[in-house]
Amino acid sequence: MELKYIRSIYRFLRDTDIEEIEIEGKEGRIRIKRALSQGQVVSAVEEKKAVEREEEPEQRESRGKNIKVITSPMVGTFYRAPSPEAPPFVEIGSVVKQGQVLCIIEAMKIMNEVESEYGGRVVSILVENGQPVEYGEPLFHIEVGAG
Amino acid sequence: MELKYIRSIYRFLRDTDIEEIEIEGKEGRIRIKRALSQGQVVSAVEEKKAVEREEEPEQRESRGKNIKVITSPMVGTFYRAPSPEAPPFVEIGSVVKQGQVLCIIEAMKIMNEVESEYGGRVVSILVENGQPVEYGEPLFHIEVGAG
Amino acid sequence: MFNKILIANRGEIAVRIIRACKEMGIKSVAVYSEADRYALHTRLADGAICIGPAKATESYLNISSLISAIEVIDAEAVHPGYGFLAESHAFAEVCEKCGIKFIGPTSEVMRLMGNKIQAKKEAEKVRIPVLPWSNRGLSDEKDAIEVSKKIGFPVLIKAASGGGGRGMKLVHTQASLANAFNMAKMESLSAFGDGEVFIERYCELPRHIEIQIVADEHGNVIHLGERECSIQRRHQKIIEESPSPVVDERLRDRMGEAAIKLAKAIGYTNVGTVEFLMDRERNFYFMEMNTRIQVEHPVTEMVTGIDLVKEQIRIATGERLNIRQKDVRFKGHCIECRVNAEDPKTFVPSPGRIKELCLPGGPGVRVDTAIYCNYTIPSYYDNLIAKVIVHADTRIDAIHRMIRALDEFHIEGVKTNIPLLVRILKDHDFIAGNIDIDFLSRFS
Amino acid sequence: MFNKILIANRGEIAVRIIRACKEMGIKSVAVYSEADRYALHTRLADGAICIGPAKATESYLNISSLISAIEVIDAEAVHPGYGFLAESHAFAEVCEKCGIKFIGPTSEVMRLMGNKIQAKKEAEKVRIPVLPWSNRGLSDEKDAIEVSKKIGFPVLIKAASGGGGRGMKLVHTQASLANAFNMAKMESLSAFGDGEVFIERYCELPRHIEIQIVADEHGNVIHLGERECSIQRRHQKIIEESPSPVVDERLRDRMGEAAIKLAKAIGYTNVGTVEFLMDRERNFYFMEMNTRIQVEHPVTEMVTGIDLVKEQIRIATGERLNIRQKDVRFKGHCIECRVNAEDPKTFVPSPGRIKELCLPGGPGVRVDTAIYCNYTIPSYYDNLIAKVIVHADTRIDAIHRMIRALDEFHIEGVKTNIPLLVRILKDHDFIAGNIDIDFLSRFS
């Protein structure tokens, strides 16, 4: 095997985050191992949490289509309607415009309306009415442009 | 496989961040493992020690030729001669037979003769006369079959 | 006893409070910013809630976020730790209004002691010595010159809402006073939103010695002796110890009584610290009062055997103190070193990922930290990464133990001030106890 | 004082001794096998010397290697730790002959106490209670039957050179005696190279309670109270505490006096432990004496404030004890848990690389360990990886603190017995102090 060939492979590797590569030849076999960002060398606990919090099926799925996530802008209690008697702002399948109110987050007795950042169709509602939500918690999935 | 080829590979590796390489030949197989920053799972202390203790230039070089290392079989004091007046058992360049005495390790007032496991030529003596040695410490390099 | 406490802080102090809660059978809920998702306090608490982005003003300093978090998780009380909102009377007041127990004194007492002018006046009322001063906030340069002449140069200009040395100016001559006065006012205004300043006599080479007090809500107040905190860099303490090399039992009693007198006069509750300056003749002068748990509280815990964080929680539930002053015993000597992630020479902060970590252990060593191997220290917050605390029979034994402990402290990936700490501990003057608040500025 | 000490051990006890040396200004030299090149004791000592391959018989148990190491590094003394050669009178004797100070009692005393028959006889001489026994080694089955009839069944057959339960057999009836007797002899011969056995009355559900003694080389002996070590698995202690829930001041004095009497009678020097069995009526019976530092020594250190390893070194230099019996104070309650790398259910050892590690810390917690993140636990040695020691005012506070500490102990890569330890600490009988040496065998 010529050094020239190895060198050319290495030149390619240099600008990547590839940590390990195996090649076999005659058009068979290749194995690439990447060193992903430092955040991923994290502890099992972290990984577990990451899975719990971020790798929810809905979200993973959402990456495929043009689906956006609306997250909570604050800590508070999630309400789907302006009052217990009123109908919910939106349901699954509702078509919403950008700026349309999706829900209310109550924080310190103040009702904060959460508006949609996108126009599209509500494909999932991720929190039950009346449940506490934390900052950044996903609330809705909107399929952008749909409807 | 020619030493020249290995040397050229090694010279190339020296200027890269490649940590491990496997090559197979006949245009098949190559495996490269790079040491990316967070891939350095080994502690710095370990690395340092590893360098200090095991990657001594003599030893690294010895891998190329058919050179074997004679290590100390025990903790003790290293003596090159049977008595202060006597000449050393061997010098650099001495040709030795398998089983020939190379030095003495004194432990608990007992003189323990260290015999060569190989026939060949003494290419280096790694410890000064009268110095303490630990278990497994390299004492001599023997170029096997030489002489 | 409380069922659930929210901890409105991060880092080692949040971990410290979680530990106390766990041992008391109280559920603890951590709050975290997006940068602290994998922080130890987030992992160790019984629950954790994200309150905002990395920036402290939008998370750990965001009062409405915190109150909302307390409400949604249904906590009965909040522990503010130190730093962030720990001395915010506004936060304490909101808690009071919302029926949330703030673990600390009342917002009224916090407001009073938060103003250095008011605090000094309170101290004078109960005849605690203070350095000669202007007796009020000063409005203009002329006023300042008049006052300074009376007090005698050099003088120190200080901010009424000050802390951490900001808005503080040392003035040696009348000529430079006007300029310094205006700068102090400006600095003070920009740092604290309050431009009020006052002037006091400058004390040469003083020691910083503080008294820990504990006060229940039924008028019982005790003190737990002093902490010597003279080893400071830019008004940030880095080594604290108890007892002080210069405080004997009699002096301790006198300082302790002064602190108790002040606490009783203002109706102080929960734990607090009365800070004094001490001159070379061992006269002490009231400086200010900190209305919260201090970073260096373990020093007092180790020599008295009293768990201050548990006391805070017990007091907040309305319990009476179960220790009387005469039952307080001081045993051995304790030193704390603050390990900061910073360059030991340039003091530039050094956040980053910890690749290797071996913390000190063994007899007489306590480590309060929130770091672990593979943890990434975020760049948004304080660079204190660990407190190494040692206890031994005598001061010299404690110094040897601390050197041993710091020698064991192995960390890779970030720089720390450990080399500086070790040099101080081996310094002849430090060992002899010849220290004052300018020690470190003379130290090469 | 010594200038340089060689530490003839590994793991946490080697680290413990290195710490004492560093604090005393003594140079420490570690020995290590090829498997321990990256071990913490190798890294922390001032020097380190490789003494052989991984197998303990060729390294840590190799007397000539150790002596040679001591000679080439020019150490004046050797600390044997516990385990390995710590109770080898042969090693101590070689040290004595070579003019090396063995930090422990004389080889003669070690030989005497190493033989359980001799030890019991010594105890009887000074009228310390022992369980009824054969009063001598037994040669054959007939002899054993005669003796057992006199003592009354059930009886326990024990090895004269025994330890760790090997060569020990419980016999309920005469019918099974002969068989058990011969098995005990065989086991004993193969384990200790000595087939001598004796018989004693079996004590039902006893507690294991031991007394720590400290003796200088001038005839002064004091005791430092008891340790309750009844929580054992196959004669291996896993939880130890002091004080014992059943020992009051009077009983402590009586047991302590008995231990001191024995130590004085045999000319004991350095630290040592006199082990007793205690029946349900709180009668205590001498069992054996350990002529070394114990794994559980921190328990005594925490309640008395006395550093036992430093005492060992001071005594070995010929210093007199500087503590008198009446100055010994017992403060609070201490519990130690031994964390082993093993499956918590099957108890199969679990060596391997530690991928994640977060050790407990904070107030009242001490960790003695030699592990660190990314360290690989070798499979050649003991599976004790850490001792978690807590101190608190009362026993229940200590239990809560220990549960909190074990809860924080986060380790990935190897299995540990932590889940079992936590279950024991939460057990109703354990909390009530209803424990005996069979506690764990009943525990599901």
Side-chain angles (χ1 to χ4, degrees):
Chain A
M1 196 174 290
E2 276 184 58
L3 184 56
K4 214 172 79 181
Y5 172 66
I6 299 168
R7 254 195 236 280
S8 73
I9 296 285
Y10 181 67
R11 265 201 298 273
F12 155 68
L13 291 180
R14 254 197 328 215
D15 302 318
T16 70
D17 58 359
I18 294 175
E19 193 180 40
E20 234 179 288
I21 192 164
E22 260 180 84
I23 298 163
E24 213 159 21
K26 297 278 178 249
E27 301 324 290
R29 202 172 162 76
I30 176 176
R31 187 175 152 271
I32 291 174
K33 190 180 162 204
R34 288 171 66 203
L36 296 180
S37 63
Q38 301 199 337
Q40 264 129 330
V41 192
V42 288
S43 80
V45 170
E46 293 174 27
E47 283 174 314
K48 205 187 73 207
K49 287 209 178 177
V51 169
E52 277 168 10
R53 290 175 194 274
E54 290 168 341
E55 299 275 70
E56 289 152 9
E58 297 96 328
Q59 258 181 294
R60 213 181 303 157
E61 180 196 1
S62 73
R63 285 179 201 146
K65 302 177 204 167
N66 190 12
I67 282 177
K68 299 287 186 182
V69 182
I70 305 290
T71 60
S72 177
M74 68 192 76
V75 180
T77 307
F78 172 83
Y79 291 113
R80 289 186 53 197
S83 70
E85 302 79 33
F89 291 107
V90 294
E91 299 278 7
I92 291 175
S94 299
V95 174
V96 295
K97 279 181 250 172
Q98 195 181 328
Q100 186 174 332
V101 175
L102 297 173
C103 66
I104 278 172
I105 305 291
E106 184 203 324
M108 295 181 72
K109 317 280 179 254
I110 293 162
M111 299 297 170
N112 303 280
E113 294 181 339
V114 177
E115 298 175 353
S116 184
E117 297 160 59
Y118 315 98
R121 193 156 45 84
V122 176
V123 292
S124 35
I125 302 174
L126 305 163
V127 180
E128 292 278 315
N129 190 52
Q131 288 302 300
V133 290
E134 57 183 357
Y135 173 86
E137 187 164 337
L139 305 175
F140 299 93
H141 284 161
I142 307 287
E143 191 178 345
V144 178
Chain B
M1 199 175 290
E2 275 184 58
L3 183 56
K4 214 172 79 184
Y5 175 68
I6 298 167
R7 256 197 235 280
S8 72
I9 296 285
Y10 179 65
R11 266 200 299 270
F12 154 69
L13 290 180
R14 258 195 325 211
D15 301 319
T16 70
D17 59 358
I18 293 176
E19 193 181 40
E20 236 179 279
I21 193 162
E22 256 180 85
I23 298 162
E24 212 162 20
K26 295 282 177 245
E27 299 327 289
R29 201 167 167 77
I30 175 180
R31 185 175 153 273
I32 293 174
K33 190 180 163 201
R34 290 168 68 202
L36 296 181
S37 50
Q38 91 286 10
Q40 285 154 352
V41 195
V42 199
S43 89
V45 171
E46 291 175 28
E47 285 175 314
K48 205 187 74 207
K49 289 210 176 176
V51 169
E52 276 169 12
R53 291 178 193 273
E54 289 170 340
E55 299 274 68
E56 289 152 9
E58 296 96 328
Q59 258 182 294
R60 213 182 302 160
E61 181 196 0
S62 72
R63 285 178 201 147
K65 303 178 203 165
N66 191 11
I67 283 177
K68 299 289 186 181
V69 181
I70 306 290
T71 59
S72 176
M74 68 192 76
V75 179
T77 307
F78 173 82
Y79 290 112
R80 290 186 53 196
S83 71
E85 302 79 31
F89 291 108
V90 294
E91 299 279 8
I92 292 176
S94 299
V95 173
V96 294
K97 278 182 250 171
Q98 195 181 329
Q100 186 175 331
V101 174
L102 297 174
C103 66
I104 278 171
I105 305 290
E106 183 203 326
M108 295 180 72
K109 318 280 179 254
I110 293 162
M111 299 297 171
N112 303 280
E113 294 181 339
V114 177
E115 298 175 354
S116 183
E117 297 160 60
Y118 316 98
R121 193 156 44 83
V122 177
V123 292
S124 37
I125 302 174
L126 305 163
V127 179
E128 292 277 315
N129 189 53
Q131 287 303 299
V133 290
E134 57 183 356
Y135 172 85
E137 188 164 336
L139 304 175
F140 299 93
H141 283 162
I142 307 287
E143 192 178 346
V144 177
Chain C
M1 190 46 65
F2 301 121
N3 177 52
K4 200 190 264 182
I5 291 177
L6 182 125
I7 295 153
N9 215 303
R10 66 178 300 282
E12 70 84 18
I13 192 64
V15 170
R16 172 70 187 86
I17 300 161
I18 291 166
R19 286 173 171 151
C21 288
K22 287 200 177 185
E23 293 180 9
M24 295 175 88
I26 298 168
K27 285 196 192 74
S28 58
V29 178
V31 295
Y32 63 96
S33 74
E34 285 187 313
D36 277 342
R37 181 149 295 205
Y38 305 127
L40 195 61
H41 77 285
T42 310
R43 286 166 57 169
L44 281 187
D46 297 316
I49 183 161
C50 183
I51 51 162
K55 234 180 126 190
T57 47
E58 294 173 44
S59 49
Y60 298 109
L61 288 169
N62 184 336
I63 293 180
S64 63
S65 250
L66 284 162
I67 297 289
S68 185
I70 295 166
E71 285 178 346
V72 302
I73 63 136
D74 199 21
E76 297 135 273
V78 58
H79 196 305
Y82 57 72
F84 294 127
L85 295 171
E87 291 186 289
S88 160
H89 57 80
F91 181 51
E93 200 179 331
V94 177
C95 289
E96 285 163 7
K97 282 188 181 144
C98 295
I100 299 159
K101 182 70 189 182
F102 177 88
I103 300 173
T106 61
S107 61
E108 203 191 315
V109 166
M110 287 169 69
R111 175 184 278 122
L112 188 69
M113 291 293 110
N115 185 298
K116 309 291 171 255
I117 293 174
Q118 293 297 327
K120 273 177 117 75
K121 284 185 179 168
E122 292 295 333
E124 283 186 312
K125 269 193 217 163
V126 291
R127 299 211 213 122
I128 296 171
V130 298
L131 287 164
W133 69 301
S134 55
N135 295 301
R136 56 189 164 83
L138 297 170
S139 49
D140 58 36
E141 307 164 20
K142 276 185 200 158
D143 205 8
I145 291 172
E146 281 314 300
V147 164
S148 300
K149 277 185 183 166
K150 228 178 278 172
I151 292 171
F153 286 93
V155 296
L156 212 50
I157 308 171
K158 282 183 163 180
S161 301
R166 280 171 302 180
M168 196 190 286
K169 298 281 162 200
L170 171 59
V171 183
H172 285 94
T173 62
Q174 193 180 319
S176 52
L177 184 67
N179 217 348
F181 180 82
N182 290 317
M183 272 172 66
K185 272 187 101 67
M186 293 235 306
E187 255 183 56
S188 178
L189 188 66
S190 90
F192 314 108
D194 170 15
E196 190 166 39
V197 298
F198 62 95
I199 287 180
E200 69 178 22
R201 192 170 73 200
Y202 177 64
C203 177
E204 298 273 352
L205 303 176
R207 290 168 176 267
H208 174 119
I209 297 180
E210 58 191 29
I211 297 286
Q212 176 69 54
I213 65 129
V214 183
D216 69 18
E217 298 182 349
H218 308 278
N220 303 301
V221 188
I222 60 170
H223 77 87
L224 302 182
E226 81 284 6
R227 291 185 291 258
E228 159 93 55
C229 312
S230 298
I231 306 296
Q232 307 183 349
R233 184 182 168 271
R234 297 196 178 172
H235 306 281
Q236 288 295 313
K237 301 163 187 167
I238 63 168
I239 300 180
E240 301 101 344
E241 60 185 306
S242 185
S244 160
V246 294
V247 175
D248 56 20
E249 206 179 317
R250 234 184 107 228
L251 185 51
R252 179 174 306 120
D253 286 348
R254 281 173 52 219
M255 295 179 80
E257 276 158 29
I260 290 173
K261 208 156 50 170
L262 177 63
K264 284 191 170 168
I266 61 174
Y268 195 87
T269 51
N270 217 286
V271 314
T273 299
V274 182
E275 297 190 330
F276 296 99
L277 282 182
M278 187 178 283
D279 66 19
R280 319 217 89 184
E281 288 73 42
R282 301 204 291 160
N283 299 306
F284 60 89
Y285 304 97
F286 171 79
M287 195 164 32
E288 63 182 71
M289 180 162 193
N290 290 326
T291 57
R292 52 167 168 85
I293 193 86
Q294 308 261 110
V295 179
E296 60 271 25
H297 75 276
V299 165
T300 299
E301 293 185 326
M302 303 289 273
V303 293
T304 62
I306 294 168
D307 188 314
L308 283 168
V309 177
K310 286 186 186 168
E311 286 302 324
Q312 287 194 289
I313 296 170
R314 276 194 211 104
I315 288 167
T317 65
E319 276 186 35
R320 285 169 183 278
L321 286 188
N322 52 13
I323 327 141
R324 285 161 306 176
Q325 189 64 52
K326 66 185 174 71
D327 300 330
V328 176
R329 292 275 171 283
F330 303 100
K331 193 166 173 286
H333 196 96
C334 180
I335 303 178
E336 174 182 283
C337 281
R338 299 193 193 183
V339 177
N340 297 324
E342 66 189 14
D343 186 292
K345 285 190 188 118
T346 64
F347 302 102
V348 173
S350 175
R353 184 164 155 267
I354 296 168
K355 293 179 198 155
E356 291 294 326
L357 183 66
C358 209
L359 292 168
V365 175
R366 165 178 168 185
V367 181
D368 276 28
T369 184
I371 63 169
Y372 53 89
C373 192
N374 296 333
Y375 172 67
T376 299
I377 301 168
S379 55
Y380 302 96
Y381 315 108
D382 198 76
N383 61 358
L384 172 72
I385 56 168
K387 303 188 310 205
V388 178
I389 305 129
V390 301
H391 186 258
D393 288 346
T394 64
R395 186 168 187 268
I396 191 69
D397 287 343
I399 292 173
H400 289 151
R401 181 158 279 172
M402 182 61 88
I403 293 169
R404 182 276 281 177
L406 292 178
D407 197 47
E408 276 176 29
F409 198 125
H410 175 73
I411 184 165
E412 300 271 334
V414 297
K415 291 180 197 165
T416 74
N417 62 336
I418 290 174
L420 173 65
L421 292 168
V422 172
R423 283 201 302 125
I424 297 170
L425 291 162
K426 290 182 175 173
D427 178 80
H428 193 272
D429 279 327
F430 180 82
I431 292 170
N434 296 330
I435 50 179
D436 57 68
I437 62 171
D438 292 319
F439 176 92
L440 211 57
S441 58
R442 295 189 305 269
F443 195 73
S444 55
Chain D
M1 190 47 63
F2 300 122
N3 177 51
K4 200 190 263 182
I5 290 176
L6 182 125
I7 296 154
N9 216 304
R10 66 178 301 282
E12 70 83 20
I13 193 65
V15 171
R16 172 72 187 85
I17 300 161
I18 292 166
R19 286 172 171 153
C21 289
K22 288 200 175 185
E23 293 180 9
M24 296 175 88
I26 298 168
K27 285 196 191 75
S28 58
V29 178
V31 295
Y32 63 97
S33 74
E34 286 187 313
D36 276 343
R37 181 149 295 206
Y38 306 127
L40 195 61
H41 76 284
T42 310
R43 287 166 57 170
L44 281 187
D46 296 316
I49 184 162
C50 182
I51 51 163
K55 235 181 127 189
T57 46
E58 294 173 43
S59 49
Y60 298 109
L61 288 168
N62 184 338
I63 292 179
S64 63
S65 251
L66 285 162
I67 297 290
S68 186
I70 294 166
E71 285 177 346
V72 302
I73 62 134
D74 198 21
E76 299 135 273
V78 57
H79 196 305
Y82 57 71
F84 294 128
L85 295 171
E87 290 187 289
S88 161
H89 56 80
F91 181 52
E93 200 179 332
V94 177
C95 289
E96 285 162 7
K97 282 187 181 146
C98 296
I100 300 159
K101 183 69 190 183
F102 178 88
I103 300 173
T106 61
S107 62
E108 203 192 315
V109 167
M110 287 169 70
R111 176 183 278 120
L112 187 70
M113 291 293 110
N115 185 299
K116 308 290 171 258
I117 293 173
Q118 294 297 327
K120 273 178 116 75
K121 283 185 179 168
E122 292 296 332
E124 283 186 312
K125 267 192 216 163
V126 291
R127 299 212 212 122
I128 295 172
V130 298
L131 287 164
W133 70 301
S134 56
N135 295 303
R136 56 188 163 83
L138 297 171
S139 49
D140 58 35
E141 308 164 18
K142 272 185 202 160
D143 204 9
I145 290 171
E146 281 314 300
V147 165
S148 300
K149 275 184 183 168
K150 230 177 276 174
I151 292 172
F153 286 94
V155 295
L156 212 52
I157 308 171
K158 281 183 164 179
S161 302
R166 280 171 302 181
M168 196 191 287
K169 298 282 162 200
L170 171 60
V171 183
H172 285 95
T173 61
Q174 194 179 319
S176 51
L177 184 66
N179 219 348
F181 180 81
N182 290 318
M183 272 172 65
K185 271 188 103 65
M186 294 235 305
E187 256 183 55
S188 178
L189 188 65
S190 87
F192 314 108
D194 169 16
E196 191 168 37
V197 298
F198 63 96
I199 286 180
E200 70 179 23
R201 192 170 73 197
Y202 176 65
C203 177
E204 299 273 353
L205 302 176
R207 288 167 177 268
H208 173 119
I209 296 180
E210 59 190 29
I211 297 286
Q212 176 70 53
I213 65 129
V214 184
D216 68 18
E217 298 182 351
H218 308 279
N220 304 302
V221 188
I222 60 170
H223 77 86
L224 301 183
E226 81 283 7
R227 291 185 290 258
E228 159 93 55
C229 312
S230 299
I231 305 297
Q232 308 183 349
R233 184 182 168 269
R234 297 196 177 172
H235 305 281
Q236 289 295 314
K237 301 162 187 167
I238 62 168
I239 299 180
E240 300 101 343
E241 61 185 306
S242 185
S244 161
V246 294
V247 175
D248 57 21
E249 208 180 315
R250 234 182 106 227
L251 185 52
R252 178 174 306 121
D253 286 347
R254 280 173 52 219
M255 295 178 80
E257 276 158 28
I260 290 172
K261 207 156 50 170
L262 177 63
K264 285 191 170 168
I266 60 175
Y268 194 87
T269 51
N270 218 285
V271 313
T273 299
V274 182
E275 297 190 331
F276 296 99
L277 282 183
M278 187 178 282
D279 67 19
R280 319 216 88 186
E281 286 74 42
R282 302 204 290 162
N283 299 305
F284 60 89
Y285 305 97
F286 171 79
M287 195 164 32
E288 64 182 69
M289 180 163 192
N290 291 327
T291 58
R292 53 168 167 86
I293 192 86
Q294 308 261 111
V295 179
E296 61 271 25
H297 76 275
V299 165
T300 298
E301 292 185 327
M302 303 288 273
V303 292
T304 62
I306 293 167
D307 187 315
L308 283 168
V309 177
K310 286 186 185 168
E311 286 301 323
Q312 287 194 288
I313 296 170
R314 277 195 211 104
I315 289 167
T317 65
E319 276 187 35
R320 285 169 184 277
L321 286 188
N322 52 13
I323 327 141
R324 285 161 305 176
Q325 188 65 53
K326 66 185 173 70
D327 300 329
V328 176
R329 290 277 171 283
F330 303 100
K331 195 167 172 285
H333 196 96
C334 181
I335 302 179
E336 174 183 282
C337 281
R338 299 192 192 183
V339 176
N340 297 325
E342 65 189 15
D343 187 292
K345 286 194 186 113
T346 63
F347 302 102
V348 174
S350 174
R353 183 164 156 268
I354 296 168
K355 293 180 201 152
E356 291 292 327
L357 182 66
C358 209
L359 293 168
V365 175
R366 165 179 169 184
V367 181
D368 277 28
T369 185
I371 63 169
Y372 54 88
C373 192
N374 296 333
Y375 172 67
T376 299
I377 301 168
S379 54
Y380 302 97
Y381 315 108
D382 199 75
N383 61 357
L384 172 72
I385 54 168
K387 303 188 310 204
V388 178
I389 305 130
V390 300
H391 186 259
D393 288 345
T394 64
R395 185 169 188 269
I396 190 70
D397 287 343
I399 292 172
H400 288 152
R401 180 157 280 173
M402 182 61 89
I403 292 169
R404 181 278 281 179
L406 292 178
D407 197 47
E408 276 176 29
F409 197 126
H410 175 72
I411 184 166
E412 301 271 334
V414 298
K415 290 180 197 167
T416 74
N417 62 336
I418 290 174
L420 173 65
L421 292 168
V422 172
R423 282 203 301 127
I424 296 170
L425 291 162
K426 290 181 175 173
D427 178 80
H428 194 271
D429 278 328
F430 179 83
I431 292 170
N434 296 330
I435 51 179
D436 57 68
I437 62 171
D438 292 319
F439 176 91
L440 211 56
S441 60
R442 294 189 306 268
F443 195 72
S444 53

